[in-house]
Amino acid sequence: MTVLLVLLLACAVGGAACVVWAERGGPRWVRIVARVTLGLGAMVGGAGKSRRRGLNRGGGNSGDGDE
């Protein structure tokens, strides 16, 4: 499990480095990796927002049972 987390962290750091490098005009493969990284980030961010919206759909009910 630790190895998986380390690999995930390395991919995230590498992707962020490619985004910065692509902003400065890096080679084609860096721009491709940067686009993929930004796309995945947008997907993860969108999933988090929809999950938070789903939690707030209770109509203001706190769920404590006292109504």
Side-chain angles (χ1 to χ4, degrees):
M1 187 66 162
T2 303
V3 173
L4 182 65
L5 290 174
V6 169
L7 287 174
L8 184 63
L9 179 63
C11 286
V13 170
C18 284
V19 169
V20 171
W21 192 5
E23 286 286 323
R24 298 174 182 255
R28 180 180 167 97
W29 68 268
V30 171
R31 292 191 302 268
I32 292 170
V33 172
R35 282 188 198 139
V36 169
T37 302
L38 291 173
L40 288 173
M43 285 174 44
V44 169
K49 286 180 185 177
S50 67
R51 186 179 312 145
R52 284 191 297 267
R53 278 190 220 123
L55 292 174
N56 293 332
R57 287 190 182 155
N61 187 2
S62 63
D64 58 5
D66 295 332
E67 294 186 26

